[in-house]
Amino acid sequence: MISIIIPIYNEEKILSKFIKNIFEIENINTCQIIFIDGKSTDKTNKILLKYKNLGYEYHVSPQKGRAYQMNYGTKFAKKNILWFLHADSLLEKDVVNKIINS
């Protein structure tokens, strides 16, 4: 039902916290999670690989820039609701249920 598109670029300082937060959300397993990297030059990719078993998608955008990365991410979205997030978001555990029930 929901494709979550997350543009990232050099997010090594906050990415682990974000990943832990998003995968604690109720019914997150019903969502498609797509990280779109703007060719990070820090340890962003290594951090994502650490959590690879969680079942997200990772794509490298041909061009850097949040707007471009978000648009690029829509090419991979398979669900009928597109939700764009940034890696500095802090989400409530019932947010997916709130979206589905609204």
Side-chain angles (χ1 to χ4, degrees), residues 4-7 11 14-15 17-22 25 66 83-92:
I4 303 171
I5 299 168
I6 308 151
E11 308 286 358
I14 61 171
L15 193 55
K17 182 178 178 180
F18 175 76
I19 291 171
K20 289 174 186 174
N21 175 241
I22 198 167
I25 294 172
R66 285 189 183 192
W83 183 17
F84 298 92
L85 284 177
H86 296 292
D88 60 353
S89 300
L90 182 60
L91 306 167
E92 297 176 9

Side-chain angles (χ1 to χ4, degrees), residues 26-75:
E26 297 166 4
N27 293 319
I28 197 64
N29 60 333
T30 65
C31 299
Q32 176 189 20
I33 300 171
I34 309 165
F35 288 94
I36 304 295
D37 195 346
K39 300 180 183 175
S40 294
T41 58
D42 65 358
K43 296 178 183 173
T44 293
N45 188 6
K46 290 180 183 178
I47 292 167
L48 279 170
L49 286 174
K50 179 180 170 183
Y51 297 99
K52 186 176 182 179
N53 64 324
L54 294 176
Y56 61 82
E57 295 179 37
Y58 172 75
H59 302 278
V60 177
S61 174
Q63 184 176 331
K64 182 173 72 169
R66 285 189 183 192
Y68 187 89
Q69 288 169 242
M70 289 187 294
N71 285 323
Y72 184 71
T74 63
K75 296 177 183 188

